[in-house]
């Protein structure tokens, strides 16, 4: 003996459209999630790589980096800041030079 349930609207166009939309939504959501995850992963990889390159440039140039500066570089997640620090690492004479403010920064133009 089988038990069959019946409710109003079962098998109708409305129900079919609802179920198809639900499936499509799940598929689209998964695809978007995968793309977002890949993009975030690439950005995180670039950030980590840039921080490692800054420390390596300073090391190869024989410039000591204090532990607090090393921690600041390694924990930074802003790619623009890391790019600025990398550029500064190419000409820095000390680890602290990376974090020096630009001459004239914060001053009102004359």
């Amino acid at each position: 003996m089988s038990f069959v349930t019946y409710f109003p609207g079962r098998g109708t166009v409305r129900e079919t459209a609802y179920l198809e939309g639900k499936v499509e939504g799940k598929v689209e959501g998964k695809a978007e999630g995968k793309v977002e995850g890949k993009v975030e992963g690439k950005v995180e990889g670039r950030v980590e790589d840039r921080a490692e390159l800054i420390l390596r440039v300073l090391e190869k140039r024989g410039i000591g980096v204090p532990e607090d500066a090393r921690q600041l570089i390694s924990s930074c997640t802003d790619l623009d800041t890391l790019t600025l620090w990398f550029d500064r690492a190419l000409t820095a004479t000390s680890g602290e030079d990376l974090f020096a403010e630009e001459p004239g920064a914060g001053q009102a133009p004359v």
Side-chain angles (χ1 to χ4, degrees), residues 77-90:
T77 58
D78 181 49
L79 195 55
D80 291 334
T81 300
L82 289 167
T83 299
L84 174 66
W85 291 347
F86 178 79
D87 292 343
R88 289 180 179 177
L90 298 172

Side-chain angles (χ1 to χ4, degrees), residues 15-31:
E15 180 190 32
T16 303
Y18 168 77
L19 293 174
E20 287 174 0
K22 193 172 179 182
V23 169
E24 286 176 20
K26 284 183 181 181
V27 169
E28 288 174 9
K30 284 182 181 181

Side-chain angles (χ1 to χ4, degrees), residues 34-47:
K34 284 181 181 180
V35 169
E36 287 177 13
K38 285 181 180 181
V39 169
E40 287 177 14
K42 286 181 180 181
V43 170
E44 287 176 13
R46 289 182 67 196
V47 165

Side-chain angles (χ1 to χ4, degrees), residues 38-64:
K38 285 181 180 181
V39 169
E40 287 177 14
K42 286 181 180 181
V43 170
E44 287 176 13
R46 289 182 67 196
V47 165
E48 290 174 9
D49 187 50
R50 189 70 45 93
E52 289 173 9
L53 286 174
I54 292 168
L55 295 172
R56 184 168 179 173
V57 165
L58 293 171
E59 177 188 328
K60 293 296 182 184
R61 294 188 61 227
I63 298 172

